[in-house]
Amino acid sequence: MLQLRDIRKQYKTAALVQNALDGVTLNLRDREFVAILGPSGSGKTTLLNVIGGLDRYDSGDLIINGVSTKKYRDRDWDTYRNHSIGFVFQSYNLIPHQTVLANVELALTISGMSAAGRRKLAKEALAKVGLAEQVHKRPSQLSGGQMQRVAIARALVNNPDILLADEPTGALDSETSIQVMELLKEVAQDRLVVMVTHNPELAEQYATRIVRIKDGKVTDDTDPYDPMTDPEAVARMQQKRRRKKRKKQASMSFLTALLLSFNNLLTKKARTLLVAIAGSIGIIGIALIQSLSNGVNDYIDSIEENTVLQYPITMSGTGVNMAAYMEAFADLQEKEKAESDAVTVNQIMRKFTSGLTKNDLKSAAAYLRYESDIMDYAKAMEYSYAIEPQIYSVYEGKLRRIHPDESIDNTGMSVSSLGSFGMTAMFMLPENKVLYEDSYELKSGKWPEDKNELVLVLGSDGTITDIAAYALGLRPSKEFDELMQALIYGKAVPEVGDMGEYTYEE
Ligand code: ADP
Ligand code: MG
């Protein structure tokens, strides 16, 4: 049961303050089909998003099964969204290049469930919406009504208590709209369905309750509800409150977020390293990936900042299927001991590699440059190749390879890809000058023009990193080796002291 108490939500823009929700109080039953009607801009979508935890209310309270959400943290909202809510949008939001089945399965990837279990549930959900025969098609091979049914199956696959639908029939003709409404009506038999619609006829015909809103206020409610006068509701509420406590937190939401955030940005080599680590040390691998990932993000940030590749869209020669990753991780976390005493091999590497696909970069680049209009919006297109220049510096008469940095080899890890984690000071300058010349102030010297020239990039606070100082041969490389040893093996941290100052000319 959901209770909204005097919910207010404002959107502040430079020009004005918009009261999207202006004191909404509404109690919703565990099982009913509520239609929200109202003119465009009246706050319907905002209301739905607040109910679903996609958007936060400014004041008031949303009470879920008798529990206030005032003190909810992000993690609690995650759990609520992942376990209690299913969303259906007007525009379906299906992933076009995935099959219908994969689209529905995706909603379960964060549940930590096994692949077989996910597939089974997804098939059941699709059968329920009458699409058992279509599971291997792609969304583009379906009609609008069928796509919306896929979206409903996806929303229902983890059996949420509440289904929220924002103008689900907005893009459908009247006949297919009726099919979708019939389906929602059925769905509302054993859960709460809240649907925003523009269409009063459909609302009247199918919903069990109509709530009208205008200017962020409820103006009419055909079947108001007071749970305190409903002893059954009170009993259920107490029971649910107890059960809620035992419900699992969204176990993989961290991992999901992590994978989502860097999957697309990782270089192939960095990915290879992560795979190697995860595969060889299992659970510890996850902890290590977690700590390394911070480095990855810093590295990505530093590329974006240092070379002003603002929000680069990157494409790599090898693509990776995120679901395969998650599956492999889920297996690491969730597997239970098999019945027999035999020790079997969990083929993590195979699961990882099964997700690899090849991209035809040449055709993609030609398409982007000559056929699409993306270059009207992009500043430049850059290519990079899996080439590691070997760069040496001289310190006290001794040669030292600084890229890929040999002290990383010296640690015994011998993984030059560690360079991809920001453990190196060297980056390739973009080919196109517009990507950096406007954004940096040249302090001394000139921009590099030849392949054997370097530019030293200072932070906005005028500093260089110690890593750069070692790479440039300004500091003894032995010190860097010792620091790496300390970092990786926990050996004694060397006494480094103050690193002094340099002039721009130096
Ligand atoms: P509806 O779904 O009923 O058309 P919405 O809930 O989308 O209405 O919007 C309610 C009001 O809040 C509108 O005036 C809209 O312009 C404003 N609004 C919604 N989202 C934002 C936003 N992200 N930023 C600023 N104003 C917004
Ligand atoms: Mg809307």
Side-chain angles (χ1 to χ4, degrees), residues 148-168:
Q148 195 56 295
R149 269 144 63 195
V150 175
I152 292 170
R154 181 182 57 189
L156 292 178
V157 70
N158 57 355
N159 195 24
D161 299 333
I162 300 162
L163 183 76
L164 303 176
D166 196 353
E167 304 195 29

Side-chain angles (χ1 to χ4, degrees), residues 189-200:
Q189 296 297 311
D190 50 6
R191 72 192 84 222
L192 169 64
V193 174
V194 184
M195 175 189 71
V196 164
T197 180
H198 260 121
N199 189 327

Side-chain angles (χ1 to χ4, degrees), residues 11 18 20 39-46:
Y11 289 109
Q18 178 72 44
S40 184
S42 56
K44 303 183 297 295
T45 297
T46 309

Side-chain angles (χ1 to χ4, degrees), residues 442-480:
L442 197 61
K443 288 295 190 187
S444 179
K446 64 175 179 64
W447 287 109
E449 279 154 12
D450 218 343
K451 57 179 171 287
N452 61 352
E453 294 176 330
L454 295 171
V455 59
L456 175 63
V457 178
L458 306 181
S460 51
D461 56 352
T463 58
I464 58 170
T465 64
D466 49 358
I467 297 176
Y470 292 115
L472 289 167
L474 298 169
R475 304 279 311 169
S477 48
K478 185 166 163 286
E479 210 172 82
F480 187 50

Side-chain angles (χ1 to χ4, degrees), residues 75 79-80 82-83 110-113 243-252 333-334:
R75 190 186 159 87
T79 307
Y80 171 61
N82 289 335
H83 293 285
I110 55 164
S111 67
M113 188 184 289
R243 221 185 317 147
K244 182 96 201 161
K245 287 213 177 100
R246 271 182 270 134
K247 218 170 194 177
K248 237 172 116 182
Q249 295 272 0
S251 62
M252 289 192 47
Q333 288 198 321
E334 305 276 323

